[in-house]
Amino acid sequence: MTTDDLAPFTVSRARGRSKLFKTAPDTPPATASVLTEPPPGIATPSSPPGAPLPTLPEGSVTAESAAELRRPIVCPPLDAVFAPGGPVANLLGPRYRPREGQVRMAALIRDILQIGQHAVLEAGTGIGKSFAYLIPILWTGIPAIVSTSNKALMNQLWDKDIPQLRQIAPRPFKAALLKGRSNYLCALRLEDFRRQPSLPDFDDNYTLLEAALQTEPSGDCERMGLPPSLITRFTVSSRDCEGQKCRCFRYCFYERAKREAVSADLVVTNHALLCYNVLLMDNLLLPVRPLLVIDEAHQLTSYAINALTLRLEHELFWNVVNHKRTREAAEEMDLLETAREGYDQFFRTVARQRPPTWTEDEEVNKWALQGEIQEGLALWNTLKQVHDVLQRQTQRNDDGELDVLVNQSAELVMTVEALARPEPEDHIRFCELDPTLADTEPRAYHAQRSPLEVADVLAHTLFKLWPRVVCTSATLGVNHNLTWFQRQVGAVDLETEVVTATLRSPFDYAQQMLLYTPPGLEPVYGAKEPEYATRLANAVQQLVETSRGRALVLCTSRRRMLDLYKRLSPVLSAHYPCYCQGELPQPEIIARFKAAGNAIIFATRSFWEGIDIPGDALALVILDKIPFLPLRDPVVQRHDALIRHRGGNPFQELQLGSAILALRQGAGRLIRAETDRGVIALLDSRVLTKRYGRQIIHSLPEGCHTTQLATVEAFFHAETLDNNEA
């Protein structure tokens, strides 16, 4: 191989050497902590002088403890709590609305507490599902965990719902908020910063940190309101921590948050931490409790797959190989040079497996890895030697920094072997190319191994171990049937019955919403794609002009989003502010959109969930087409083959269900309150001509369906008349 062939990949070595961070896993070593004085002047989690931190209970469930967790839990009748003139009505005042679905959901949870069953409950938007599951928890006083997928709902629970219910709950309770380690300040980095008063930004940052900690002593960076630059500077990932050997372990904000969670009656956490706990930590982080509520449960499978995915991270490799302690431990520097060369050779081989052509209709920047990769096995063998060298050093030097490197090198050894050897049939190895980087840049290549499905593992680690799991979301059903979701998460064929229910939204969709599908507009690719793209852009322009802006244009690919934005923003921006996903951080785009009142956002699927824009600022949601999974995606292809191999129907089991749920999430951005009105435009006539179209229409909110643009115009004209009369 020539020097030119090597050149694009050798640049990563210099970059790796320039960024040396200490890293460590979440699980701390079992040795005693080294006590030190806390950083003076900055608040830290308190602990009695000289007293060790309390020991976390074991997460494993014995037969005796399982029986105790499953014992019947008696919950008092709750109808009166939600009734007019009752505690909830008095609490909410003018905002109170009697909600039949909320009362029914609370009654279902009350029943499963008594019987000891799991539940899958689709709770339509506006039901008030958080009160429906929190009130049975707080009225019985059972230890429970509530997990959600996004920060907005987590903050709603912690800042609004729980404090409100504390005012009317029949008994006092302790609640705790627990996130991942990188969400909390690192006490060690705070101390190191305190010791450098000569830094040019010391006074300003010290004052800011001190004031923020006085307001939010938990060390939760988001709740402290810290700017991104300080969050990056003063937090660590799970790999960056030395655990109990850290000299500031006694004052660790994250460790304190974990122990607060263990002693709390109610814990609010997120899906990422929940899946890490259930799938990788044997419930040691969050021990099994009588009840687990998984809100926004439609995202559970994606978080579970992410938790079980092995990734070969560039920064991790270069941090280990170029770390000062690694270089000191390696008696022969040739070993580390061999590792560097082997790493580059592995990714050169991975890059050569990239297909020569890419699909034109979807953005699929990934390809499956084929066969046994010899360069990967050679790298695996070298990294084992690096790991052995570091491990021998721990026998002579008992410190956290070295433990960090040992654990990190062990992770590299495991990951590289998994990527080098052929995977099981229910997994896939693939490499993804970062489209924002040049393909000659090594950092652009991301190799990983992922499971295709997680139903079996969730069935064993979640539904068969936890006594009561309630999965809820506004979008779980496909064609008003919850079986598809149950199969995805493994909530089928269990020893105990799973309670299921679809609770309708209190919103009057027939009056508040219109569903529009233009005939004759179907995605086309190849030679006729430019004509289709023009027709699509014209349809979007007509709609946003009819709605007077106030639109969210959601695209199934980044390429389509950019094309529509490039075509339409020069024309529309004269009257309506136009924003494109990626130009600004999402929170800032949303804030500007709400403030403008007539703006347009062009975005992709990642924008579809977790945003809340009630009121007149959003009146139109445009979906460019049915969001089927890209057929050229190697992960989809492998999953398709797996389903066919077991005699299933990939279109029904994989494509249609995921598309319907994605559409329902997109549609759910529109009607967020009883006073909202608007149009959902699905610009894909296949829902009119294909057999599956009826299932899609039937699964969307029950608005009036039309194929006529004139009906859309009349809908918005009526809105104008109503506003003028008001």
Side-chain angles (χ1 to χ4, degrees):
M1 186 168 291
T2 66
T3 304
D4 290 339
D5 292 331
L6 290 168
F9 290 86
T10 54
V11 67
S12 59
R13 297 184 197 169
R15 182 176 290 106
R17 290 194 184 100
S18 68
K19 297 177 68 177
L20 305 180
F21 296 106
K22 299 173 291 183
T23 55
D26 262 338
T27 309
T31 56
S33 59
V34 179
L35 302 184
T36 183
E37 292 302 316
I42 295 182
T44 55
S46 61
S47 182
L53 289 169
T55 303
L56 287 171
E58 293 296 327
S60 56
V61 180
T62 64
E64 293 78 10
S65 61
E68 176 65 17
L69 290 168
R70 295 183 187 280
R71 67 175 175 81
I73 298 170
V74 178
C75 179
L78 298 172
D79 288 7
V81 179
F82 295 97
V88 171
N90 294 333
L91 175 71
L92 298 180
R95 295 182 293 115
Y96 170 76
R97 299 287 186 279
R99 298 171 178 176
E100 180 183 346
Q102 186 181 58
V103 176
R104 185 182 171 205
M105 182 174 175
L108 287 170
I109 293 178
R110 175 177 178 265
D111 290 343
I112 72 164
L113 292 177
Q114 173 69 33
I115 301 171
Q117 295 175 312
H118 302 305
V120 175
L121 308 176
E122 179 174 282
T125 303
I127 275 182
K129 64 181 184 297
S130 57
F131 270 32
Y133 59 68
L134 286 174
I135 284 177
I137 292 172
L138 301 178
W139 263 241
T140 57
I142 62 164
I145 294 174
V146 174
S147 176
T148 184
S149 65
N150 62 73
K151 291 181 179 179
L153 181 53
M154 179 179 282
N155 291 336
Q156 176 192 315
L157 290 169
W158 188 251
D159 294 327
K160 182 180 177 183
D161 295 342
I162 292 175
Q164 285 183 328
L165 291 176
R166 197 182 292 277
Q167 300 175 39
I168 62 172
R171 57 172 56 82
F173 63 90
K174 178 182 178 183
L177 181 67
L178 184 62
K179 305 177 182 179
R181 185 183 297 274
S182 60
N183 290 278
Y184 298 89
L185 286 177
C186 171
L188 178 60
R189 290 198 174 186
L190 278 179
E191 182 182 10
D192 289 343
F193 171 70
R194 178 185 64 82
R195 296 175 184 275
Q196 303 177 71
S198 60
L199 292 173
D201 59 353
F202 180 85
D203 290 339
D204 290 343
N205 286 339
Y206 188 93
T207 301
L208 192 157
L209 288 166
E210 185 177 29
L213 279 169
Q214 291 293 334
T215 303
E216 182 60 49
S218 69
D220 183 327
C221 295
E222 180 192 5
R223 303 187 63 77
M224 290 171 65
L226 296 182
S229 59
L230 286 188
I231 293 176
T232 301
R233 184 173 176 179
F234 291 103
T235 59
V236 295
S237 71
S238 61
R239 295 197 189 101
D240 294 325
C241 178
E242 297 178 11
Q244 291 186 13
K245 291 184 179 179
C246 173
R247 66 178 186 270
C248 291
F249 180 75
R250 274 188 61 194
Y251 312 103
C252 178
F253 293 98
Y254 176 62
E255 293 296 330
R256 181 62 57 184
K258 287 198 298 183
R259 285 163 173 81
E260 289 290 325
V262 168
S263 62
D265 304 300
L266 173 65
V267 179
V268 177
T269 188
N270 55 47
H271 292 354
L273 198 62
L274 174 68
C275 288
Y276 175 76
N277 173 67
V278 170
L279 300 173
L280 301 175
M281 287 289 291
D282 193 26
N283 297 300
L284 290 171
L285 184 58
L286 291 168
V288 175
R289 294 185 175 216
L291 177 64
L292 168 63
V293 176
I294 303 177
D295 204 340
E296 301 297 308
H298 62 280
Q299 290 194 341
L300 178 61
T301 55
S302 62
Y303 279 93
I305 288 173
N306 186 65
L308 295 172
T309 295
L310 295 175
R311 298 177 179 85
L312 184 50
E313 299 181 16
H314 297 296
E315 184 179 68
L316 175 61
F317 174 83
W318 293 114
N319 286 345
V320 170
V321 173
N322 293 330
H323 199 284
K324 181 182 70 172
R325 299 295 297 271
T326 308
R327 289 185 276 115
E328 291 173 351
E331 298 176 358
E332 298 181 5
M333 294 304 294
D334 288 347
L335 176 62
L336 300 184
E337 187 59 29
T338 300
R340 298 183 186 107
E341 289 287 350
Y343 192 75
D344 288 344
Q345 289 171 7
F346 171 72
F347 275 100
R348 280 196 295 273
T349 300
V350 166
R352 284 196 296 268
Q353 290 193 3
R354 176 183 175 182
T357 58
W358 295 90
T359 177
E360 297 180 356
D361 59 327
E362 297 285 354
E363 292 189 342
V364 182
N365 294 327
K366 64 181 73 164
W367 59 95
L369 301 184
Q370 305 295 331
E372 190 169 78
I373 303 176
Q374 295 302 316
E375 292 81 0
L377 292 177
L379 176 61
W380 169 61
N381 185 63
T382 303
L383 289 174
K384 283 198 300 180
Q385 297 178 54
V386 173
H387 172 72
D388 291 343
V389 166
L390 290 169
Q391 197 162 41
R392 285 195 296 270
Q393 286 294 310
T394 62
Q395 300 171 5
R396 299 191 294 269
N397 298 282
D398 185 26
D399 66 79
E401 187 176 56
L402 200 54
D403 282 350
V404 162
L405 291 169
V406 169
N407 286 315
Q408 285 194 331
S409 61
E411 180 182 343
L412 284 173
V413 169
M414 177 182 65
T415 302
V416 169
E417 182 182 18
L419 291 170
R421 299 190 188 279
E423 68 274 29
E425 66 175 4
D426 58 350
H427 284 65
I428 183 172
R429 293 173 299 156
F430 64 93
C431 184
E432 188 163 13
L433 186 65
D434 186 342
T436 65
L437 298 175
D439 61 5
T440 55
E441 169 59 63
R443 292 182 303 126
Y445 294 84
H446 301 279
Q448 51 194 296
R449 193 187 86 161
S450 296
L452 298 170
E453 298 176 342
V454 289
D456 288 344
V457 68
L458 286 176
H460 286 88
T461 60
L462 191 65
F463 293 101
K464 293 183 180 180
L465 186 59
W466 290 67
R468 300 168 187 84
V469 179
V470 175
C471 293
T472 186
S473 173
T475 52
L476 295 179
V478 173
N479 200 18
H480 301 287
N481 190 309
L482 300 175
T483 304
W484 187 87
F485 170 79
Q486 289 179 254
R487 289 174 178 163
Q488 296 293 307
V489 300
V492 292
D493 301 326
L494 301 174
E495 295 178 0
T496 58
E497 178 186 355
V498 177
V499 176
T500 62
T502 300
L503 309 168
R504 295 171 61 88
S505 169
F507 301 154
D508 186 354
Y509 284 107
Q511 296 297 319
Q512 294 180 249
M513 193 194 81
L514 186 68
L515 176 61
Y516 168 64
T517 305
L521 186 58
E522 182 174 327
V524 178
Y525 303 99
K528 294 186 177 181
E529 183 179 3
E531 178 186 350
Y532 160 70
T534 299
R535 294 177 61 213
L536 178 66
N538 291 339
V540 172
Q541 181 176 347
Q542 285 182 312
L543 285 165
V544 297
E545 288 177 344
T546 300
S547 67
R548 304 182 306 281
R550 305 180 296 161
L552 186 57
V553 182
L554 299 173
C555 303
T556 51
S557 73
R558 184 172 178 269
R559 183 168 66 92
R560 184 67 65 208
M561 173 192 75
L562 294 174
D563 179 70
L564 287 174
Y565 181 70
K566 181 178 179 180
R567 289 171 182 263
L568 296 178
S569 61
V571 179
L572 298 172
S573 59
H575 304 286
Y576 315 109
C578 294
Y579 302 101
C580 187
Q581 180 181 345
E583 287 184 332
L584 297 168
Q586 178 172 321
E588 187 171 347
I589 291 179
I590 296 298
R592 293 190 182 192
F593 182 86
K594 290 179 178 179
N598 67 338
I600 304 167
I601 296 176
F602 295 82
T604 62
R605 284 182 61 171
S606 62
F607 235 79
W608 290 31
E609 300 188 44
I611 62 172
D612 190 10
I613 311 176
D616 294 336
L618 179 63
L620 173 66
V621 174
I622 298 176
L623 311 171
D624 70 330
K625 67 174 184 175
I626 303 170
F628 288 129
L629 300 172
L631 295 176
R632 295 284 295 275
D633 188 324
V635 178
V636 176
Q637 292 176 348
R638 186 69 60 82
H639 199 175
D640 184 293
L642 180 66
I643 294 172
R644 290 183 188 277
H645 180 72
R646 63 173 180 242
N649 183 329
F651 183 75
Q652 291 291 334
E653 295 184 33
L654 180 63
Q655 288 284 4
L656 187 58
S658 61
I660 286 176
L661 287 190
L663 284 171
R664 294 188 64 198
Q665 279 293 319
R669 301 308 97 208
L670 183 62
I671 306 299
R672 310 293 290 174
E674 287 93 340
T675 56
D676 287 345
R677 296 179 79 253
V679 173
I680 298 172
L682 176 54
L683 305 184
D684 190 336
S685 61
R686 288 178 292 180
V687 300
L688 305 175
T689 60
K690 301 295 185 181
R691 286 185 299 176
Y692 56 76
R694 183 173 297 179
Q695 294 185 57
I696 292 176
I697 295 298
H698 189 56
S699 295
L700 293 175
E702 306 89 338
C704 180
H705 185 211
T706 183
T707 60
Q708 302 299 316
L709 182 62
T711 306
V712 177
E713 293 170 342
F715 182 90
F716 283 118
H717 181 65
E719 177 193 42
T720 303
L721 293 177
D722 291 342
N723 290 339
N724 290 338
E725 291 176 1

